Every structure is written in structure tokens, then in C-alpha cells.
Amino acid sequence: MKLIFKYFNYKILAKYVILLCLILLFSCNNKSDVGIIKKISKADIKYYFAEREFKMTRDPKTNEIPFDIRNRELEFIKSIPSREEFILQNQLNNEKKYIPTILSQNWSSAGPNNIAGRIKDICFDINNSNIILVASASGGLWRSTDNAESWTKTNDASSEQSIYCIEQDKRVGKTNVWYYGTGELLSTTDRKFAKINRTVGMGNGIYKSTDNGLSWAPLQSTISKNQGAIPEVFQAVWDIKVDNFNSDKDIVYAACHGGIMVSEDGGESWNLSLGDLTNKCFSSDIEFTSDNSMIYAALSSMTSNNKKPLKSGIYRSKDGKNWIDITPQGYPDDTRVVKIVTAPSNPNILYLLTETPYIINDPLLSFAASKHTFWKYTFNPSEGKGYWENRTNNLPYPDADDINRNLTNGFNSLGGYCFTINVKPDNEDVVFLGGTNLFRSTNGFADTLQTVRIGGYNTQQHPDNHYVEFYPSNSNILYNASDGGLSITNDCMASNVSWFEKNYGLKTTQFYSVAFNHTVDGDNLLIGGLQDQGTVIKPYNGSNNWYQIFGGDGLSCYIANNRDFAIVSVYQNQIYGAKFTSNGQLSINYNNYLYSNEIGNLSKNFFTIFDVEPNNNNELYLVVDNVIYIKNNLKNAIGNPNLANSDWMRLLNTAMPDGVNISALKVSSKPANRLFFGTDNGKIYRVDNCNSGNPSKIDISSDNFPIGAYVSCIAVDPLDADKIFVVFSNYNVQSIFYTSN
């Protein structure tokens, strides 16, 4: 007989529970890696995560993200009183209402203070180079007034947090005005192109500051009400440029999904300058020459609907209205991401970089399969035309067929995910090219003899480069934005470039999960799984300076009773065990990969879902797509590689039909060995005596459950396993259900 669940209609409570279950906010950093992590491309990871995110949030009835959902969320949040407002209102009404514990506690940051996440852009204040603004991929806008020694977040928590680009108005008397553009469209292959655009990395508009970046407000003309669909033009802003030579109008250009938009009133209204708003180009870019003699624009030829746009290629204009097509002969027919940059020391020089996906039969690295082209353009003012040089063959490992080599040693953009180029301000021939690795050429890649790798894999600088910027008063000082936050070198021209991080206080890490010690009151020890920063640990002594204990993308994690050991994971069911040392630290010297030959190294799902039996911590339960595996003798296997592959058993009767995946599971304490699991089609099951034999599953779903919804979390009372909370994460459904029997 199915249980009857009581349910709540508090959407905000659902969000808190979801955040506590999975602190979501991505993939392979080689620092401190122990064992062999099966690598998977960044774009592939984003696709797997995109599919999961879509299933978690879509309206099951329509199979779509609801129209205007972001604005509806923000309006709902405004109606919720703060803790202070709640308490004050009770005092004013002289009411003795119960104040929930979560409202009566003071919350403080636990860090990490010293580890940062993905940064997309860097911008220096023209009046004071100690003032730096950086754009976080999902953590908002951060500002420093002491040259990156400390950081303050300046955009509101309820505003769009996915920021891709920043720009300052550099005109005299206008330098207090800044803009930032939102959205990070992540690259995939052709066949999954539209899916990725629907769910991942979309922003919503351009924001403006009139107090030098201290506060921000959205430009209403750029805010979309149709979030969740294929992006509208301002849901992906690749670049922003202010016309700093026009004193009569506040002219702003935005390179968007669809083309180049222009405003002549500081962003209050916009018109299309170049592009196609029906068949929108995936990416675009815009550049001014240092003397304002020319504007250049680049538009990709790939679109979200797989139809060619009316405009694509490379263009130049003197007024931003009349554009001349200067696309070179031999330019790729299909381009997904394009980047251009002019040389500050020579306004007649332009460099062009393109990315084009191609198909390979590799389930892991197919999304990193790209061909790149690199060009130099020299404009002759006296002739009124320019000349192109194709320097593609001088890129590091330009063949693109050996993807593994390109990932670790050569130039690979991971499908346009990490893709940047810049020119040294005082030398038109010194070009920096960033992908997974960072390269420097001292002759504009005219040949291969003057190119060196100065960052990325097996260097001091974190892989996956998104932007490089030069310090205004010293062009040898280079700032780098990557998946590891912000790093700096004081001599980018050195034969051996040294890097150091400037991440203290830059709290932009992206947590997938967090774990703590449930058996010791007041234990400050925390472990978290982070995007591209591995699994990190907050020391038990209370310090907010965390340290990395494992590489890759850190996902689900677990701390055993009394800090006996810890379990960490990366993508696709790669599970690792680690023991604590005698002084309470987690040692990387005691790690080993817990695997099963039957399972194999990989599954179809990106996110690794597991739980550990809470009483004796000796059984590990692991979700492999649509079935659950159990590993017995867990304690002995940790630290003993000889036992890593043994004592695994498939719980045959937990198997779900093809196309239905297990999305959450939890093992009970009292009584022991009772397993609950949920699915991505809205069902809850119970398995009694789950640690022995081949027990059967019992469907305990309620008739009140939303049909086809995603079970994102199951919470079981540790003192009474009859008391259960179940969370559904989709929009437009009842979110939280409870049973006491």
C-alpha cells in the first residue's frame, strides 16, 4: 500500500532544502591529483550537467522552463521578509510566534577564502589601476581597491550572477559609468547545440553602474521575460565596448547572441547594428582600434536553429553603421566561436581566432573536438584596404586530431569554452593565446620557433584560460582569468614565467556538494566538491582557508563517523576513499580508487550519486544510471588498493526501466539498512534489508506526487526512518512532501 504524504507549498523552503542537499553552482585540474582520473572534456561535462539541470527544473507538464520564471522568482523573493523584518513585525504586533531556528541564528561565511572559481573577464579602472573589477561565471561581480589583495562583491544577490564581460566608460567626466554583460553560452557539438543553449549559462541582460562599480542596476531594455527558451539577444553578451571618442552621445556596443547591438543613450534603447535576429549567430565580438579609426566585428556562422544567419564573418566600419565585409578567403564555412583583437600599439593590425566543431567517435572527448584557425590582418590606410595572412599552421599542434595531446600540451579550447587572445600593448607582435593552456608568441605566430607555453597543465597557472589583461602602467605584468580564479605574473616575457594567485577573498567557487561530521558536535571540519577545483577541505581548527585534497571536478562527498575516513567523487561514478591522519587532516597519501570491473569507469550520468551506511560506515551505495550497486567491506578497502575492486554487488531489483534514472538515495540509521531512492520521473522506492541478498524495491510513491517530476533530495530522520522528506525540484509543481509512517 502506498504511503500518503503531507505536502507543503513553500517554494522558498524547497530552494533552501535543495541548496542544502546539493549546493549547486564545473573540469580537470591536475593539481594534487591522486590516482588516475578519467578525463572528460569541459564541454561534455556541461552537456551532461545541462541535461540533468533541465530535468530538474522543467515543468513536467509542458517539458519547458516556464515563461518569465526568473522575474517571477525575483518578485516572490521580494515578498519574503528578512529575519530582522520577521522578528520586528512580531515585536510590533506583540506576538509570541515561534521563530524558526533558521531565522534565529546568525550566519557567517565558511569560505573558502583562499580558493576561487571560474573568472571570465578582468577590467582596470582607468583613473586608478589599483581598482580592479572581475566577472565571475556564476558568482557575480567582484571589485578590489588594493590591486587584488582583497575583494568585495558589488552586485546584488538577487540579480543575474552569470557575468561574461565588463567595460568602463573611459571618457573624461564619465568614468564612473561601467557596464557588465551576462551569460556564458557553453559549447557543444552540433547535434546537442540547441539543448545546451536552452539550459546552461544563459544570462539576462546588461547591467550598469553610475558609481564606479559600487552598485548595479539592470538596463530594462535588455532584460528578457522569456528565460528558458533558446537565448534572446541579450541573454548572452560576449563583449561590450563604449565609444570613448564621442562626446555628444553615450554610444555603447554589445556583441551578443545574434550580432552587434548599439545604443546611443547609454543603454536605454538598442538597435541592431550588424547581424540577424531571426537566425542568431552563436557568438560575436567587437573591437575598436586604439585611435578610433576603425571598428571591427566578428560574427559566427553557426546558429541555435541550424540555419545560416544573414550576416557572418569579419567586418569593418568607420561609423558603426555602414559595415564592409572583409572575411578572408579560406575562412571556415562553419564557425561557432570567434574572437578578434586589435594591437594597441598599431591600429592597423588585427588578429582573428576561430573555432569550428567536428565529429569524432569518442564518447568522452567528442565535445573537445574543434579545428581552429588563426589570422593576421594588416590594414593599409592609403589604399583603404587590408591584407590577410593565414597563420593557422603555426598554432601549437594545429592538426587537432590528437585531442589528448592538445589538451595537455597544445592549444585546445574545449569546444570554445576556454578561448581568448590578446596583444601586448607595447608590441604588436607579442600575442597571447589561451585555451586549456596559455601560449606566448613574439612574432604573432608567424612561425613556430618563437612560441612558448607559459601556463596551463603542469605549470603554476591553472588550466582553462578565459581572459588575459595587462596592467595599465606595466605591460610586462599580466593578469589571467581561468577556472582557478585570478592569477598574476610580474614578467610575462620571462623565459620561465612564474605565476601567483590573487584569490584571497574572491569567493567565486562553485560547490556541487558539501559534507560534515555528523557524530561530533561543533566539529568545524567540512569537505566540499567544487567545479574544476577538485575536492577541498576546511580544516577542523576552524580556519576559512581550505586546501585541495583531490583534483578533477569534485562532486558528492562524505565524512565517516568520528573522522574515520572520507569518500570523494568526480564525474561518472569515479569514487575515491581517503583516510585521515593522526592529527585529523585528510591525507592524499591514503587515497585509492574504489571501482568495480562490472560497472566500468563511466556511466551515462555526469553527477555521481552515492551514500554510506550511517551506523557502521561499512557499505557504500552507488547509483549507476538506473540501478544501485553496493560495496561491502568499505572500511578495509580504503587505503588498500587490492580490495578496491572486490565486494561489489548489483542490487538487481533496484533496476529501473531504460530511460528512467535514479536521481537521489538515502540509507537510514534507525532502523538500519533501509534504503530509499527516487527517480527522475517522480517515483520513490524503499528497499528493506538492503545490505544482504537481493532485496526487492517497494513503490511508496504518493498519488499526490507531481507526475514526471525530478526527485532531487531525500532526507530521512536519523532517529526514525518512518519520517521522511522528499523534494521535487521542478518549477510549477508541489515541492516538498513529508510522511511520518
Side-chain angles (χ1 to χ4, degrees):
M1 181 176 180
K2 298 179 181 179
L3 299 178
I4 302 299
F5 282 71
K6 302 174 185 178
Y7 54 84
F8 301 90
N9 192 24
Y10 301 124
K11 179 70 71 175
I12 191 66
L13 180 57
K15 291 185 179 296
Y16 283 135
V17 175
I18 293 167
L19 286 171
L20 290 173
C21 297
L22 293 170
I23 305 177
L24 288 171
L25 239 167
F26 264 109
S27 205
C28 200
N29 175 12
N30 62 336
K31 301 176 184 177
S32 302
D33 281 8
V34 178
I36 301 174
I37 297 177
K38 300 295 181 180
K39 291 184 173 66
I40 180 173
S41 79
K42 285 283 174 46
D44 207 359
I45 283 174
K46 298 305 181 292
Y47 170 70
Y48 284 127
F49 190 68
E51 289 296 282
R52 180 173 180 267
E53 182 76 7
F54 179 66
K55 286 183 178 179
M56 292 179 70
T57 55
R58 67 187 175 91
D59 183 337
K61 292 183 178 180
T62 64
N63 198 38
E64 294 178 350
I65 305 296
F67 178 80
D68 198 22
I69 192 62
R70 180 57 176 162
N71 290 330
R72 287 162 54 189
E73 286 178 333
L74 295 177
E75 289 301 314
F76 180 78
I77 290 171
K78 291 177 183 178
S79 69
I80 302 172
S82 67
R83 178 171 64 103
E84 293 76 14
E85 291 170 340
F86 184 88
I87 296 173
L88 177 61
Q89 189 60 47
N90 283 345
Q91 292 173 344
L92 292 175
N93 296 337
N94 197 26
E95 296 178 357
K96 300 294 184 180
K97 287 184 178 179
Y98 167 71
I99 299 176
T101 302
I102 196 170
L103 291 178
S104 63
Q105 300 295 319
N106 290 317
W107 291 76
S108 60
S109 172
N113 287 350
N114 58 320
I115 302 174
R118 189 162 76 253
I119 301 298
K120 301 299 297 186
D121 198 6
I122 308 164
C123 196
F124 292 90
D125 186 344
I126 191 174
N127 296 320
N128 183 351
S129 56
N130 286 322
I131 298 177
I132 310 171
L133 277 68
V134 298
S136 169
S138 60
L141 195 287
W142 291 77
R143 186 176 187 266
S144 174
T145 59
D146 51 13
N147 196 14
E149 294 298 322
S150 62
W151 295 93
T152 302
K153 185 177 180 180
T154 62
N155 70 320
D156 189 76
S158 63
S159 64
E160 180 59 55
Q161 300 300 301
S162 175
I163 303 177
Y164 194 89
C165 55
I166 318 168
E167 179 71 1
Q168 183 183 23
D169 190 329
K170 298 179 176 63
R171 296 174 296 169
V172 176
K174 297 280 189 176
T175 57
N176 61 306
V177 176
W178 292 70
Y179 302 87
Y180 72 70
T182 64
E184 182 193 27
L185 290 186
L186 302 172
S187 303
T188 67
T189 61
D190 239 340
R191 66 183 185 276
K192 294 174 181 175
F193 194 73
K195 292 180 181 178
I196 216 73
N197 287 352
R198 178 180 56 194
T199 58
V200 171
M202 285 196 302
N204 197 15
I206 295 175
Y207 286 68
K208 183 176 182 179
S209 172
T210 57
D211 55 10
N212 210 35
L214 293 174
S215 63
W216 301 83
L219 292 173
Q220 293 300 324
S221 57
T222 67
I223 303 302
S224 169
K225 292 186 176 182
N226 193 24
Q227 282 190 286
I230 295 297
E232 295 186 8
V233 62
F234 288 108
Q235 289 181 280
V237 183
W238 294 85
D239 199 7
I240 298 175
K241 288 291 188 294
V242 175
D243 186 344
N244 292 307
F245 297 88
N246 193 310
S247 58
D248 298 327
K249 298 178 180 179
D250 296 330
I251 301 178
V252 185
Y253 292 87
C256 299
H257 175 252
I260 308 300
M261 303 295 292
V262 62
S263 172
E264 296 187 352
D265 51 16
E268 295 300 316
S269 61
W270 296 83
N271 293 300
L272 179 66
S273 176
L274 176 70
D276 183 351
L277 297 185
T278 300
N279 302 319
K280 301 182 183 71
C281 64
F282 179 70
S283 74
S284 62
D285 203 3
I286 186 166
E287 275 284 300
F288 277 73
T289 57
S290 56
D291 63 353
N292 197 40
S293 60
M294 198 73 68
I295 308 172
Y296 291 95
L299 283 69
S300 71
S301 62
M302 295 182 68
T303 65
S304 299
N305 60 13
N306 295 319
K307 296 179 180 179
K308 289 289 185 180
L310 293 176
K311 299 286 187 180
S312 65
I314 315 303
Y315 296 80
R316 73 166 189 252
S317 173
K318 291 185 176 181
D319 57 9
K321 298 177 181 178
N322 301 293
W323 295 91
I324 300 173
D325 189 339
I326 59 169
T327 306
Q329 290 186 352
Y331 186 78
D333 291 333
D334 296 314
T335 54
R336 177 167 51 185
V337 183
V338 287
K339 297 285 185 181
I340 53 175
V341 63
T342 56
S345 61
N346 185 347
N348 296 319
I349 299 298
L350 173 81
Y351 290 99
L352 162 67
L353 185 64
T354 75
E355 181 268 338
T356 300
Y358 70 100
I359 303 300
I360 63 171
N361 294 320
D362 187 327
L364 293 182
L365 296 175
S366 60
F367 293 92
S370 296
K371 293 185 181 296
H372 302 93
T373 67
F374 179 80
W375 308 71
K376 181 180 180 181
Y377 178 78
T378 304
F379 181 72
N380 188 323
S382 61
E383 296 180 1
K385 62 180 181 179
Y387 300 89
W388 288 99
E389 297 176 66
N390 188 344
R391 298 183 172 183
T392 299
N393 289 333
N394 300 325
L395 292 175
Y397 301 129
D399 56 309
D401 291 327
D402 189 344
I403 293 179
N404 282 295
R405 181 175 65 171
N406 283 339
L407 286 173
T408 55
N409 296 310
F411 175 70
N412 190 292
S413 67
L414 294 175
Y417 167 78
C418 45
F419 198 60
T420 188
I421 183 173
N422 211 343
V423 182
K424 200 165 185 285
D426 57 358
N427 191 330
E428 65 191 71
D429 293 320
V430 179
V431 179
F432 292 83
L433 180 66
T436 52
N437 299 303
L438 183 63
F439 294 89
R440 180 192 69 209
S441 171
T442 53
N443 62 359
F445 294 96
D447 56 39
T448 61
L449 302 177
Q450 299 183 42
T451 299
V452 295
R453 187 163 69 93
I454 64 171
Y457 283 100
N458 303 310
T459 72
Q460 294 175 314
Q461 186 265 333
H462 198 287
D464 308 332
N465 299 269
H466 299 289
Y467 191 72
V468 290
E469 184 61 282
F470 301 89
Y471 193 66
S473 60
N474 185 343
S475 62
N476 284 331
I477 300 176
L478 184 66
Y479 287 64
N480 173 267
S482 72
D483 272 16
L486 185 69
S487 56
I488 301 174
T489 177
N490 286 320
D491 188 0
C492 64
M493 301 303 294
S495 56
N496 294 302
V497 176
S498 297
W499 296 90
F500 55 97
E501 294 182 344
K502 283 289 189 178
N503 288 332
Y504 198 84
L506 188 58
K507 299 176 183 178
T508 58
T509 48
Q510 297 162 294
F511 275 85
Y512 283 119
S513 66
V514 67
F516 59 90
N517 188 351
H518 289 265
T519 57
V520 179
D521 285 343
D523 193 339
N524 290 313
L525 177 69
L526 294 174
I527 293 179
L530 300 179
Q531 182 271 327
D532 208 31
Q533 289 284 30
T535 301
V536 295
I537 186 169
K538 172 181 165 59
Y540 70 97
N541 62 11
S543 171
N544 282 349
N545 292 335
W546 299 46
Y547 64 92
Q548 188 184 75
I549 56 175
F550 206 77
D553 276 271
L555 297 176
S556 302
C557 49
Y558 183 86
I559 299 175
N561 298 341
N562 302 308
R563 294 201 213 109
D564 199 11
F565 60 87
I567 302 291
V568 303
S569 67
V570 294
Y571 34 75
Q572 295 183 306
N573 296 334
Q574 297 182 71
I575 303 281
Y576 296 81
K579 286 188 174 182
F580 287 87
T581 61
S582 57
N583 63 358
Q585 301 297 302
L586 197 62
S587 173
I588 62 174
N589 298 321
Y590 294 93
N591 282 1
N592 67 284
Y593 176 33
L594 303 173
Y595 68 97
S596 165
N597 284 333
E598 181 184 354
I599 299 174
N601 291 323
L602 303 173
S603 75
K604 295 178 182 177
N605 285 338
F606 164 67
F607 202 88
T608 299
I609 302 172
F610 72 85
D611 197 16
V612 176
E613 197 285 323
N615 294 318
N616 59 32
N617 293 164
N618 206 32
E619 291 96 31
L620 171 71
Y621 295 84
L622 175 66
V623 173
V624 181
D625 299 330
N626 65 342
V627 70
I628 297 172
Y629 280 74
I630 178 174
K631 179 177 177 58
N632 293 295
N633 200 22
L634 177 62
K635 289 183 179 180
N636 290 332
I638 295 176
N640 187 346
N642 294 327
L643 299 177
N645 185 39
S646 62
D647 298 310
W648 284 92
M649 181 178 65
R650 184 184 185 192
L651 299 181
L652 294 172
N653 291 327
T654 64
M656 301 303 298
D658 289 343
V660 178
N661 284 336
I662 297 172
S663 55
L665 84 162
K666 190 67 180 176
V667 184
S668 67
S669 299
K670 294 183 180 180
N673 305 318
R674 182 184 289 178
L675 172 68
F676 299 91
F677 69 90
T679 66
D680 60 4
N681 70 339
K683 297 291 186 178
I684 295 288
Y685 298 88
R686 188 185 80 223
V687 181
D688 296 325
N689 301 315
C690 56
N691 65 330
S692 61
N694 192 23
S696 298
K697 63 180 180 290
I698 304 170
D699 188 342
I700 60 170
S701 307
S702 169
D703 292 336
N704 293 321
F705 282 176
I707 298 174
Y710 190 101
V711 178
S712 64
C713 182
I714 302 171
V716 180
D717 188 333
L719 301 179
D720 183 356
D722 284 342
K723 298 176 180 178
I724 312 164
F725 280 94
V726 174
V727 177
F728 293 90
S729 54
N730 303 83
Y731 290 115
N732 290 343
V733 304
Q734 210 69 44
S735 298
I736 301 178
F737 291 75
Y738 171 77
T739 180
S740 60
N741 63 356

